[in-house]
Amino acid sequence: VEDLIAMQQTNLWCLPENYNMKYYYYHILSWPQLLQVAEDHKGKVVGYVLAKMEDDEPEEPHGHITSLSVLRTHRKCGLATTLMTSSHRRMTETFNAEHSALHVRKSNHAAFHLYSQTLTYTIHDIEEGYYADGEDAYDMRKHFRKTASPEEAPPSAPPDAPSPQTSPPPPPPAPE
């Protein structure tokens, strides 16, 4: 419970979208595996990721990143990447998630760079007026695994086909 209060404080300090404590309780009671915190050397929460599983598409289980925040004093240390990677891993290991989704403000260039360049999310759609202040959001997705059906798999080489050479052949022996 102490972590939830610290997560809410971090959210209030860093983000314009804020949640009441009931929303944090809902997440921790429903998906305790997907909440992650980062603490400093004194045990103070300096970052968190709040995530959940979506159940609107049962044929393709997927997660959703509700909120990610790291205090300004602890940014550029890799904490956001570590928190997200841990949440992704737990989504796949615990819930067999196919992908994760999130929304990010179009004006949040730093977060967009983190998601698109570091964490390899791609833009799925643009949701106009998504935020309370009317700003648009990128709806982004990260697919965890690609599964190819047998007909999509590349044909295998015949057994007698030479294997591709990955390094140049050795030089001929020197004359004696």
Side-chain angles (χ1 to χ4, degrees):
V1 173
E2 292 172 14
D3 281 351
L4 293 179
I5 294 168
M7 288 169 64
Q8 186 181 42
Q9 284 299 312
T10 302
N11 174 269
L12 291 170
W13 288 327
C14 298
L15 298 173
E17 295 77 38
N18 305 126
Y19 309 104
N20 61 38
M21 190 54 69
K22 181 180 173 181
Y23 196 63
Y24 290 94
Y25 279 118
Y26 169 66
H27 275 73
I28 198 164
L29 292 172
S30 301
W31 308 280
Q33 308 89 333
L34 301 182
L35 276 71
Q36 308 290 313
V37 296
E39 297 178 336
D40 68 8
H41 65 285
K42 294 180 182 177
K44 176 186 172 190
V45 172
V46 296
Y48 73 88
V49 62
L50 184 67
K52 64 181 183 173
M53 292 302 295
E54 297 284 8
D55 54 6
D56 57 347
E57 297 178 28
E59 68 277 354
E60 183 178 291
H62 66 278
H64 184 86
I65 304 297
T66 303
S67 182
L68 170 70
S69 184
V70 175
L71 294 178
R72 292 189 191 287
T73 54
H74 289 77
R75 292 184 184 169
K76 301 292 184 187
C77 299
L79 292 178
T81 301
T82 300
L83 289 165
M84 290 288 286
T85 302
S86 178
S87 189
H88 292 156
R89 186 175 60 252
R90 289 177 180 225
M91 283 177 190
T92 58
E93 290 174 357
T94 307
F95 300 102
N96 200 30
E98 296 288 326
H99 71 273
S100 175
L102 58 79
H103 291 92
V104 62
R105 288 178 173 270
K106 287 179 75 174
S107 65
N108 192 340
H109 302 293
F112 181 79
H113 184 270
L114 169 71
Y115 300 138
S116 63
Q117 301 302 309
T118 306
L119 297 169
T120 65
Y121 276 76
T122 57
I123 296 172
H124 176 73
D125 199 4
I126 296 174
E127 296 204 24
E128 294 183 17
Y130 178 81
Y131 291 99
D133 63 3
E135 184 172 351
D136 297 346
Y138 291 120
D139 174 1
M140 302 185 78
R141 307 286 166 92
K142 175 183 178 68
H143 291 272
F144 297 129
R145 57 180 95 73
K146 303 255 188 224
T147 55
S149 63
E151 57 271 4
E152 292 174 357
S156 58
D160 58 345
S163 61
Q165 193 139 13
T166 56
S167 59
E176 293 183 29

